[in-house]
Amino acid sequence: MPRLPLRVLVLEDHSFQRALAVRMLRQLGCREVFEAADGAEALALLREAGPVDIALCDLRMDGVDGLEFLQAVGASRQVGSVILCSELSGDLRRSVRQIVSLLGLEFLGDLGKPLCLEALRSLLKKPVPAPATGPVPRPALEAAREDEIRHALQAGQLQPYYQPKFDLRTGQVRGVEVLARWAHPSRGVLPPPAFMPLLERCKLMDALLFGQMELALELHCQMRRHGHAPNMAFNLQAAQLVDDALAPRIRALLVRYGVSGASLTFELTESGLLQAPQTSIKNLVRLRMMGCGLAIDDFGAGFSSLQRLCALPFTEIKLDAEFVRGLGHEPRCQVAISSTLALGKALGMSVVVEGIETQEQRQHLLRLDCATGQGYLCARPMSGGQLLHWLGKQPVCA
């Protein structure tokens, strides 16, 4: 049995279940396995033994329970990833998974009980982020200032990255989503949560959008010369729809780069749309009249409004990744996906399922008659140069 370079903490108050988990982890070759009967004991163990890569965590126990433990390690970053192992009902475990994500912890999977060796083996094969080994750094957002983010825009540090959407049957690219990354000169490449709130407060979202569009449309011209012309999807905030100049500026860019409106899709989150004034509808209509697609993003993650979905001229539904994560063990997730696929078909809208990471998820979605997906199974977000190289190797997911 090859050894896994993993330090794992088992948090379980039932002595037999705890011993079983420890034995399985050692059988699977984990480098070090620690055990604790409650959250307080687990936190004390972390202070003494140091951070661990994975916490295999039960939830309901006397004293400091699993939720309190997760909240504590979310702040300290002494745990890289979390695997849930609990007898709680599926809907409660799904809520806990959302809490894990909100705490900034990586969620590896939900095993339920009794523990299954093969299911555990599969989760241990996933990439595991390293836990913090020293003081937790201040979030980049706290250190960023308005003058710094303005300079980043002017210096071209906010760069577009591209994540493909793919046909689940053939692996062919259906389109790419354009995502922003901050190539910070001293902190490396920063993800959107590190700078998006600051851009919003400084009212710089239009500057970001049109800067990203210029670079992405230049890349689109290069891709056309290489025989590729995937649809490009840009994130758009509901607050940007109140600007009467939005659609004309987009049209001018399309003319300048010789790109048809049908080559673009604009993705809007449902939570933002619920707050959007009626005056924003005219910009959505204008974009559709230009041939652009409109996607409702993270569908199901907020407070869905079927009335709003039917009233606005959307062409695509993007189903939130949380439903795919629970697909194999949570029947409600399968029902939600099936219902959304049926809704999209009835409304004449395509459905893109986000967060596909495994072949098992892909096959399950194919059985549900899902056609299009997005996720790490096909590709992670990449730079423009990497995308050109990647497209030259198609198909990659067949």
Side-chain angles (χ1 to χ4, degrees):
M1 169 64 65
R3 291 188 64 79
L4 299 173
L6 296 173
R7 308 180 86 225
V8 184
L9 168 64
V10 176
L11 175 55
E12 167 65 63
D13 64 341
H14 193 285
S15 59
F16 174 77
Q17 295 282 359
R18 187 169 66 252
L20 178 64
V22 170
R23 185 168 66 251
M24 285 185 179
L25 289 164
R26 288 177 176 157
Q27 181 180 343
L28 292 171
C30 292
R31 178 166 62 92
E32 293 180 89
V33 181
F34 306 94
E35 56 182 294
D38 62 32
E41 184 178 336
L43 293 172
L45 190 151
L46 288 176
R47 286 193 293 270
E48 179 180 343
V52 297
D53 299 290
I54 298 173
L56 180 65
C57 187
D58 191 7
L59 295 171
R60 185 163 47 193
M61 59 191 68
D62 294 333
V64 177
D65 62 21
L67 277 180
E68 291 180 82
F69 169 76
L70 292 173
Q71 185 171 4
V73 297
S76 68
R77 297 296 187 268
Q78 289 182 292
V79 170
S81 301
V82 175
I83 297 174
L84 293 184
C85 182
S86 173
E87 292 178 322
L88 290 178
S89 63
D91 58 334
L92 286 177
R93 296 203 308 271
R94 182 164 176 248
S95 297
V96 173
R97 294 199 297 272
Q98 294 178 2
I99 293 173
V100 169
S101 297
L102 290 172
L103 289 171
L105 297 169
E106 186 76 14
F107 178 72
L108 279 188
D110 181 354
L111 293 178
K113 288 184 178 179
L115 200 58
C116 171
L117 180 66
E118 289 307 313
L120 182 58
R121 187 198 308 272
S122 176
L123 292 183
L124 294 180
K125 291 179 180 178
K126 289 187 175 184
V128 176
T133 56
V136 179
R138 295 176 67 195
L141 178 59
E142 290 184 9
R145 305 179 308 274
E146 181 173 348
D147 61 336
E148 190 178 5
I149 199 70
R150 289 185 182 277
H151 172 75
L153 279 167
Q154 294 170 359
Q157 295 174 7
L158 297 184
Q159 300 176 355
Y161 272 52
Y162 306 87
Q163 185 173 27
K165 304 174 186 178
F166 60 102
D167 188 308
L168 289 174
R169 296 177 295 259
T170 66
Q172 294 292 333
V173 175
R174 288 280 187 88
V176 293
E177 181 180 0
V178 183
L179 304 163
R181 297 291 186 269
W182 185 355
H184 197 282
S186 61
R187 303 189 193 112
V189 178
L190 302 179
F195 58 88
M196 280 296 185
L198 182 60
L199 283 171
E200 293 174 24
R201 289 203 306 271
C202 298
K203 302 188 185 305
L204 294 172
M205 293 303 297
D206 280 353
L208 174 68
L209 171 66
F210 288 103
Q212 300 287 87
M213 287 190 68
E214 296 244 10
L215 294 171
L217 292 178
E218 286 179 7
L219 180 66
H220 198 274
C221 293
Q222 296 180 51
M223 288 192 291
R224 292 205 305 271
R225 290 195 291 270
H226 287 83
H228 302 285
N231 181 280
M232 286 191 156
F234 298 87
N235 289 286
L236 190 64
Q237 288 197 337
Q240 294 174 275
L241 293 172
V242 299
D243 183 4
D244 286 334
L246 178 69
R249 288 183 68 182
I250 292 173
R251 184 185 295 109
L253 280 178
L254 293 175
V255 171
R256 188 197 312 170
Y257 288 97
V259 177
S260 70
S263 297
L264 302 188
T265 296
F266 292 94
E267 299 184 2
L268 297 98
T269 58
E270 60 173 329
S271 56
L273 288 167
L274 291 174
Q275 303 163 3
Q278 292 295 325
T279 53
S280 66
I281 298 177
K282 61 184 178 183
N283 260 325
L284 294 175
V285 172
R286 284 173 179 162
L287 291 173
R288 283 293 310 279
M289 290 173 65
M290 289 159 51
C292 302
L294 296 175
I296 183 166
D297 198 9
D298 296 334
F299 186 75
F303 298 97
S304 306
S305 169
L306 293 180
Q307 180 183 14
R308 209 68 166 134
L309 182 63
C310 294
L312 298 176
F314 286 103
T315 59
E316 180 181 295
I317 297 172
K318 293 193 73 179
L319 189 62
D320 187 68
E322 184 64 28
F323 294 101
V324 172
R325 295 190 188 105
L327 187 55
H329 53 267
E330 176 50 70
R332 292 187 182 189
C333 291
Q334 178 170 320
V335 171
I337 293 172
S338 298
S339 299
T340 304
L341 291 169
L343 177 65
K345 184 176 181 179
L347 295 177
M349 300 167 64
S350 60
V351 177
V352 178
V353 177
E354 299 181 284
I356 303 172
E357 297 183 352
T358 68
Q359 285 289 353
E360 290 78 10
Q361 291 170 340
R362 177 188 182 184
Q363 293 302 321
H364 203 143
L365 290 168
L366 283 171
R367 289 193 292 272
L368 296 177
D369 203 25
C370 176
T372 309
Q374 186 176 10
Y376 289 177
L377 173 65
C378 184
R380 293 173 179 265
M382 62 190 85
S383 67
Q386 291 169 327
L387 178 64
L388 281 173
H389 179 72
W390 184 85
L391 285 172
K393 294 184 173 182
Q394 282 297 295
V396 298
C397 297

